[in-house]
Amino acid sequence: MSHETTGIEYLFQDPKIHLDERVRDLVSRLTLEEKVESMLQYQPAIDRLGVAAYKHGTEAAHGIAWLGEATSFPQPVGLACTWDTELMRLIGSVIADEARVYYRRDPKLNGLTLWAPTVDMERDPRWGRNEEAYGEDPYLTGELSKELVKGIQGDHPVYLKAVATLKHFLGNNNEVDRGIGSSSIDPRNLREYYLRAFEKPFTEGGAQSMMTSYNLINGTPATLYHGVNDIVRGEWGMDGFVVSDAGDVMGIVNDHQYYDSHTPGVAESIRAGIDSITDDAELSKQAIREALVQGTLQEEDLDRALFHTFRVRFRLGEFDPAADNPYASIGEEALLTEQARELSLRAAREQIVLLKNEHELLPLNPARCGKVAVIGTHGNEVYRDWYSGTLPYQVTPLEAIRAKLEGEDAKERVVYRDGKKRVILTAVNDGAKLTVDSSGEMRLSQDGEPTVLTMTDWGYGSVTLHDEHLGTYVTSDEETLRVTADEAYGWYVKEVFGLTPVGQGEHLWTTWNGKPVIAGTEGSLKVVEAEKSALNAVESNASTVLGQSQTFQVETVSDGLAEAIAAAQAADTAIVFVGNHPLINGKEENDRPGLELAASQQRLIEEVYRVNPNTIVVLTGSYPFAIPWVQEHIPAIVYTSHAGQEHGTAIADVLFGDYAPAGRLNMTWVQSEDQLGDIKDYDIIRGGRTYQYFEGESLYPFGHGLTYSPFEYNDLRTDVPKDSVKSIAALDAVDTLQVWVEVTNRGVAAGEEVVQLYVRPGASRVKRPLKTLCGFQRIRLEAGETRTVSFTIRMKDWAIWDVTRDCYCVESGEYTLLAGASSKDIRLEHPVYVRGEVIPPRQAGRSIRAENFDNCSDIVLDESKEQREACVRPRTPQRSGWIAFHGVDMDTVSVVELQCRVSCNSSDATIELRLDAPDSEAVARVNVGNTGGAQAWVTLSEAVHSVSGTRDVYLLLSGEVRLAHFTLGANATEDSGFQA
């Protein structure tokens, strides 16, 4: 049958043709200029071919965002605390359904390629975007992300409901300097930690898209990182498309200053695997055109990228009859359904973690709890983060608690005090007081009735000011203030102010970006530039600078703390709600200044507890907190993320026992920030990060969470017979292990338990984790019920990355299975023996890459442009650093020479070869002169005193030297062998 008789004009329009052939046909019909235009996030319509305009990128971290009302789910940090893979798949399906609704409304602007989930590993709780990801463990993150991906993309063999875009690849876990900083990640950290979270969503979840990160990876911008093509496409087989983060391709020049012009960065990004550029359209297109003319980019490079993006569009059903695509019929009926609302409530309940419950204070009995004081700002608020959607409704904890105590006396039984100060602001120089009119205009007046503002202290010098009469917040622009904001929200949260004490009764009033607020002429308020001399004068206790009032008095009209204390003292039970605002003191572009609660919130808890020992703390947070005092004194502590539309309902259900909490922490909560290293240190192995390597005493361990029923663990066993020699269960490294454990609910009511399975490795060639999660299941058991929980474990998942051979390796030896209720609460152990490999010694005489060290000190990885792998250099030129290579067999060759591949920016750098210890006497010293730049590589050699045996090799690097690889041998230049 011809195309003419079927109404099909082009081959790509024929659904019967193989997908890849159709995509290639479409791309081949585009003109070169159409190809250039289609490389951007907003792909244009090509009317002559019947191709519609399309936009890549709809935010969907925990519900469709920025398009209108949509079902809201808890923040990803909360979803991770559910440890519920089935729930994640259901949530993904709802998100995709609602994306389809908005796509049908406007397919040109509301695309089906969704920017979620965020798979970044959260090895530091100070990360400003902690709310967006799934925690510190790659296995948990991989499993939850995989299921969300499956839910988003659907289960049809041909068509996709929507597309999941994993972000951000790779090593993106600090916000400060994210656009200029480099994440130093050695091969073991890379392969055993950072990559593992991304692998399963691709290999098992089938994710069709990925976004690169803003940072450099070992000195290379992430958009140029070889791992996109080599690992994600090459090893994992991802057959979708890769998108750059917003503004990041231009950031190669603007932020990283990696090139002097945009053309080479754009060209190299496309060759390195970027298929869709999210950036300035005209600059990007011009750079592509210039690269094509220069020959640094070929039309085939564009064809390859467009094949990836259009292939995904084909799978979304765009080019096929709607009748063929089961997802094309999804319409308005799929938006904000009752089933979605119930799923939102289920998720909000499941993510709540009961941190402490002394004397079984919880659950509260509505008939016996007496008078309840609900205290704190968070008790009557539901906050949105930057990637939240527009909530269709919201239930606050106060509303839900009052509903639990329904009846004529409900309002009398539940007393609410927010704990905030009500203040009046007065200009110091003339005593004029702040007034606000009905339009939100602010003025200083000697005669008018002063306006009382409610001040919320968020800690670290950040406050918000709210006019309760108008119901709006004070906000600022570059010059003025108004009381017109419905909420503290935005990329720049202009509702945040500073009121810093600078003298007796005087405060410096500053805006969100540090600009002083001053009294202008005729009672006006002005925002001015913060001249250093003016600020210094203010801080020296001067009330006027340049003839204008620079300071204000803050007069307390009502003391919210005193009111909260009185309410708690008069109540039978006090529930104190504290936590963070998702957009203040920690968000995208801003890391957290610390782990503590705001000092005002800490004092609120302490003072309430002082007058009422029946105090419950509900902590709403986007991240872990350091709350040792609260843990020590408060009898019951509940943690929840910002959980969306059903936030309050879920909390009340847990507090009053209508739902038994079973959430588990997805991150280790430390006692103090002092237990953490530098936020920019990405080496979790040597830095002792996450539960896998942290040897300190945590506040709450990874996987921690209590519930209202006791659960008992029995009979941990495997399907592997005992080895006659080892006398324990033994299996081969290629085998699959079946594990069972019996769990019994010993309580009087039904409840849920998250059964966690860890493995503890035995003796190893390298430093191994204390334990690693290898299985988990969230189960529900009736009172008295026993269930056998099963796990299937692939031995290959216990592999480490062998830096001596550049491959994964399961080491021979004894491993211990650990079953329990958290990483610390281990109930049962069971040993198994794995017949794997013994990693052989390194051999002298073969080239060894510097990045493949076994240990290091004061070293970072950097870029080597002449090879795809990284080089190493001292962290600072002023301080030496060393790398260690354990177990080098010196007897394989007569070692008389050290040969190093180096580059250097200075004339006084050195590399010293030492044996067995970093402080031993040097047996060789290479003096490295200025090679002509960081990427001007030369080979230098130096004689070595005769050595033999199997030795640990240390290379001490000093100055601005970079080392790519080295060789120990008789005549290294003649040896063609290469060793990782």
Side-chain angles (χ1 to χ4, degrees):
M1 184 179 294
S2 68
H3 289 325
E4 289 76 10
T5 59
T6 60
I8 295 174
E9 186 175 358
Y10 304 111
L11 185 149
F12 75 82
Q13 295 171 327
D14 188 349
K16 297 176 183 175
I17 302 297
H18 189 277
L19 171 64
D20 290 355
E21 189 176 350
R22 295 176 68 191
V23 179
R24 280 191 288 269
D25 179 69
L26 170 58
V27 173
S28 71
R29 296 179 187 279
L30 302 180
T31 67
L32 181 58
E33 182 57 26
E34 287 170 342
K35 291 176 182 179
V36 172
E37 296 271 349
S38 298
M39 288 296 299
L40 279 298
Q41 177 190 17
Y42 288 84
Q43 293 184 309
I46 304 171
D47 295 331
R48 66 182 182 84
L49 297 177
V51 176
Y54 186 85
K55 176 197 172 188
H56 290 291
T58 295
E59 298 293 354
H62 48 118
I64 293 298
W66 306 352
L67 301 185
E69 289 187 356
T71 303
S72 67
F73 297 96
Q75 295 174 304
V77 68
L79 292 177
C81 291
T82 69
W83 293 55
D84 189 336
T85 54
E86 177 199 42
L87 175 69
M88 295 299 290
R89 187 185 290 209
L90 294 173
I91 288 172
S93 183
V94 167
I95 290 173
D97 284 342
E98 298 193 345
R100 281 275 172 182
V101 174
Y102 278 103
Y103 175 72
R104 288 189 70 175
R105 289 183 182 179
D106 191 345
K108 294 181 180 179
L109 291 179
N110 303 332
L112 292 171
T113 43
L114 311 183
W115 287 353
T118 297
V119 189
D120 300 294
M121 292 314 305
E122 299 189 307
R123 39 97 235 180
D124 196 301
R126 294 167 295 191
W127 184 37
R129 301 180 74 173
N130 192 85
E131 67 208 21
E132 294 182 39
Y134 296 87
E136 68 181 29
D137 182 74
Y139 181 85
L140 177 65
T141 295
E143 290 291 325
L144 296 177
S145 299
K146 173 185 74 177
E147 295 304 318
L148 187 77
V149 167
K150 288 181 177 179
I152 287 173
Q153 298 191 166
D155 56 7
H156 194 274
V158 175
Y159 296 104
L160 301 166
K161 186 187 288 190
V163 167
T165 299
L166 309 187
K167 57 183 190 178
H168 309 84
F169 192 84
L170 186 72
N172 177 26
N173 193 218
N174 62 274
E175 291 302 295
V176 176
D177 295 335
R178 69 177 184 178
I180 61 174
S182 179
S183 300
S184 177
I185 306 175
D186 67 85
R188 278 199 63 207
N189 276 281
L190 178 72
R191 291 287 184 165
E192 296 177 27
Y193 189 65
Y194 294 101
L195 288 178
R196 278 192 170 168
F198 281 89
E199 184 173 2
K200 279 189 178 179
F202 284 122
T203 59
E204 298 179 20
Q208 287 290 289
S209 182
M210 182 184 80
M211 177 184 287
T212 52
S213 55
Y214 283 116
N215 52 282
L216 300 105
I217 304 166
N218 297 339
T220 301
T223 53
L224 311 182
Y225 180 53
H226 70 86
V228 174
N229 281 330
D230 291 353
I231 299 172
V232 179
R233 292 195 187 283
E235 295 182 23
W236 298 342
M238 193 273 270
D239 57 359
F241 74 98
V242 178
V243 60
S244 64
D245 207 341
D248 195 36
V249 173
M250 298 300 108
I252 294 171
V253 172
N254 297 338
D255 300 320
H256 298 305
Q257 299 179 0
Y258 189 84
Y259 288 123
D260 294 330
S261 72
H262 295 306
T263 300
V266 171
E268 193 172 337
S269 291
I270 294 170
R271 295 199 308 271
I274 298 298
D275 305 309
S276 175
I277 298 173
T278 311
D279 218 310
D280 184 290
E282 293 309 314
L283 285 177
S284 300
K285 288 185 287 187
Q286 184 59 31
I288 294 173
R289 295 184 190 111
E290 290 177 359
L292 289 168
V293 171
Q294 295 170 4
T296 56
L297 196 63
Q298 305 298 320
E299 186 172 0
E300 291 78 10
D301 296 318
L302 303 187
D303 291 346
R304 182 176 57 253
L306 294 174
F307 176 85
H308 295 146
T309 54
F310 276 106
R311 189 176 190 277
V312 167
R313 288 178 63 176
F314 270 89
R315 292 199 62 195
L316 287 166
E318 177 182 344
F319 299 95
D320 292 355
D324 293 350
N325 179 5
Y327 305 124
S329 62
I330 296 174
E332 294 294 327
E333 76 287 344
L335 183 65
L336 299 173
T337 66
E338 178 61 22
Q339 292 78 12
R341 186 200 68 78
E342 292 174 356
L343 190 66
S344 174
L345 177 57
R346 172 183 166 183
R349 286 169 167 165
E350 286 196 19
Q351 55 92 46
I352 291 177
V353 182
L354 182 60
L355 297 174
K356 182 181 179 182
N357 192 23
E358 199 171 67
H359 309 308
E360 297 185 348
L361 180 56
L362 292 175
L364 299 172
N365 187 326
R368 299 177 185 174
C369 64
K371 192 172 184 178
V372 176
V374 175
I375 295 168
T377 300
H378 290 79
N380 198 30
E381 293 282 358
V382 176
Y383 293 107
R384 297 193 298 152
D385 63 44
W386 178 241
Y387 291 108
S388 291
T390 303
L391 277 59
Y393 64 91
Q394 57 187 42
V395 181
T396 71
L398 177 62
E399 293 168 340
I401 289 169
R402 281 181 170 157
K404 294 294 182 186
L405 303 177
E406 60 184 350
E408 294 182 2
D409 63 342
K411 287 190 176 181
E412 288 72 27
R413 288 185 65 191
V414 181
V415 177
Y416 175 63
R417 296 290 183 269
D418 59 22
K420 303 176 187 177
K421 286 183 178 180
R422 270 70 179 173
V423 301
I424 292 173
L425 299 179
T426 304
V428 167
N429 68 328
D430 61 4
K433 298 183 182 299
L434 180 69
T435 63
V436 181
D437 67 19
S438 59
S439 68
E441 292 289 340
M442 304 177 70
R443 297 190 65 77
L444 292 166
S445 173
Q446 300 281 357
D447 306 318
E449 183 70 22
T451 296
V452 177
L453 296 175
T454 302
M455 183 170 72
T456 306
D457 178 8
W458 295 104
Y460 302 103
S462 298
V463 301
T464 51
L465 300 167
H466 184 258
D467 188 322
E468 291 180 301
H469 177 69
L470 295 178
T472 50
Y473 287 84
V474 181
T475 188
S476 67
D477 57 24
E478 293 305 307
E479 296 182 353
T480 61
L481 303 180
R482 291 175 59 85
V483 190
T484 55
D486 292 328
E487 59 181 328
Y489 190 80
W491 182 261
Y492 301 111
V493 189
K494 299 181 179 181
E495 296 72 44
V496 173
F497 295 91
L499 282 168
T500 307
V502 292
Q504 189 65 34
E506 298 183 32
H507 296 76
L508 176 66
W509 187 2
T510 52
T511 62
W512 62 277
N513 55 353
K515 294 184 177 182
V517 178
I518 67 170
T521 59
E522 299 180 355
S524 65
L525 288 169
K526 294 175 60 179
V527 178
V528 297
E529 292 296 328
E531 294 183 11
K532 188 174 182 180
S533 59
L535 287 179
N536 286 341
V538 171
E539 292 167 358
S540 299
N541 199 22
S543 62
T544 62
V545 175
L546 305 177
Q548 296 175 312
S549 175
Q550 285 272 103
T551 58
F552 295 81
Q553 289 181 335
V554 181
E555 176 188 347
T556 300
V557 176
S558 63
D559 185 348
L561 176 60
E563 293 169 352
I565 293 170
Q569 196 165 19
D572 299 287
T573 303
I575 310 175
V576 184
F577 286 83
V578 293
N580 79 308
H581 188 295
L583 294 172
I584 300 174
N585 295 331
K587 60 178 284 291
E588 190 162 357
E589 289 196 332
N590 300 107
D591 292 311
R592 296 168 65 192
L595 300 180
E596 297 79 16
L597 289 169
S600 59
Q601 292 185 358
Q602 180 67 32
R603 187 181 177 196
L604 181 66
I605 296 170
E606 293 178 11
E607 291 298 314
V608 167
Y609 176 70
R610 181 175 58 82
V611 300
N612 190 330
N614 290 328
T615 294
I616 301 159
V617 167
V618 178
L619 177 56
T620 301
S622 304
Y623 32 62
F625 290 87
I627 51 169
W629 188 95
V630 180
Q631 168 61 21
E632 181 181 354
H633 294 90
I634 301 302
I637 310 169
V638 173
Y639 167 72
T640 173
S641 73
H642 296 274
Q645 60 198 44
E646 291 287 351
H647 178 71
T649 309
I651 291 172
D653 285 348
V654 166
L655 293 176
F656 288 92
D658 296 305
Y659 183 82
R664 299 292 187 267
L665 294 180
N666 65 329
M667 298 182 72
T668 302
W669 287 35
V670 296
Q671 300 269 356
S672 164
E673 187 177 1
D674 295 339
Q675 293 177 298
L676 301 174
D678 187 337
I679 191 173
K680 296 179 182 178
D681 181 4
Y682 279 75
D683 189 338
I684 72 161
I685 298 173
R686 296 159 194 89
R689 295 295 188 95
T690 80
Y691 78 96
Q692 294 190 52
Y693 294 97
F694 180 62
E695 296 183 356
E697 185 64 31
S698 64
L699 182 68
Y700 304 114
F702 173 80
H704 171 72
L706 308 175
T707 189
Y708 296 151
S709 294
F711 287 83
E712 181 179 282
Y713 287 64
N714 289 291
D715 194 19
L716 178 62
R717 61 192 189 279
T718 72
D719 65 341
V720 180
K722 285 185 178 181
D723 183 272
S724 58
V725 177
K726 300 295 181 182
S727 297
I728 61 172
L731 70 166
D732 293 327
V734 296
D735 290 343
T736 297
L737 177 66
Q738 199 70 30
V739 182
W740 297 275
V741 61
E742 289 186 357
V743 182
T744 302
N745 180 355
R746 294 299 184 192
V748 297
E752 293 175 86
E753 175 78 341
V754 178
V755 183
Q756 300 168 42
L757 188 67
Y758 297 84
V759 60
R760 181 177 65 220
S764 172
R765 179 189 175 278
V766 296
K767 181 180 179 181
R768 296 290 296 271
L770 303 171
K771 60 177 72 73
T772 301
L773 184 69
C774 60
F776 65 90
Q777 282 191 44
R778 183 169 180 140
I779 61 172
R780 175 181 170 83
L781 296 179
E782 298 299 321
E785 181 183 357
T786 297
R787 183 180 306 173
T788 299
V789 180
S790 65
F791 301 94
T792 301
I793 300 171
R794 301 174 302 186
M795 289 299 94
K796 68 177 185 177
D797 291 338
W798 291 0
I800 63 170
W801 184 254
D802 177 12
V803 294
T804 74
R805 297 175 295 173
D806 269 343
C807 64
Y808 284 108
C809 167
V810 179
E811 290 183 293
S812 291
E814 186 173 315
Y815 297 75
T816 305
L817 292 165
L818 312 168
S822 81
S823 61
K824 189 173 183 179
D825 184 6
I826 300 300
R827 310 288 180 83
L828 300 170
E829 299 187 6
H830 189 286
V832 295
Y833 186 86
V834 179
R835 294 181 288 262
E837 296 181 76
V838 176
I839 298 174
R842 299 179 191 262
Q843 295 181 0
R846 304 185 67 188
S847 181
I848 299 174
R849 288 209 308 273
E851 68 169 349
N852 278 328
F853 52 78
D854 289 306
N855 202 356
C856 70
S857 176
D858 287 313
I859 287 289
V860 295
L861 286 89
D862 211 331
E863 183 179 51
S864 170
K865 276 185 170 293
E866 73 170 8
Q867 60 182 25
R868 300 177 76 84
E869 295 77 21
C871 64
V872 302
R873 63 171 174 81
R875 187 175 299 276
T876 64
Q878 295 75 31
R879 183 173 179 177
S880 300
W882 55 259
I883 50 177
F885 301 83
H886 297 155
V888 180
D889 185 354
M890 301 293 189
D891 294 332
T892 57
V893 65
S894 177
V895 176
V896 297
E897 184 180 63
L898 167 65
Q899 184 184 69
C900 300
R901 187 67 174 169
V902 297
S903 69
C904 187
N905 279 328
S906 65
S907 59
D908 57 353
T910 61
I911 299 176
E912 291 185 356
L913 170 62
R914 301 181 177 190
L915 299 177
D916 302 326
D919 56 355
S920 65
E921 183 178 351
V923 296
R925 177 188 176 97
V926 177
N927 294 310
V928 184
N930 192 326
T931 65
Q935 298 302 330
W937 295 90
V938 299
T939 300
L940 300 177
S941 300
E942 187 62 40
V944 177
H945 300 302
S946 180
V947 294
S948 61
T950 299
R951 311 289 290 272
D952 291 343
V953 169
Y954 289 81
L955 295 177
L956 184 74
L957 281 64
S958 302
E960 296 186 46
V961 61
R962 289 168 167 80
L963 174 66
H965 51 85
F966 70 97
T967 306
L968 292 167
N971 187 349
T973 56
E974 296 178 4
D975 188 279
S976 60
F978 181 84
Q979 181 172 315

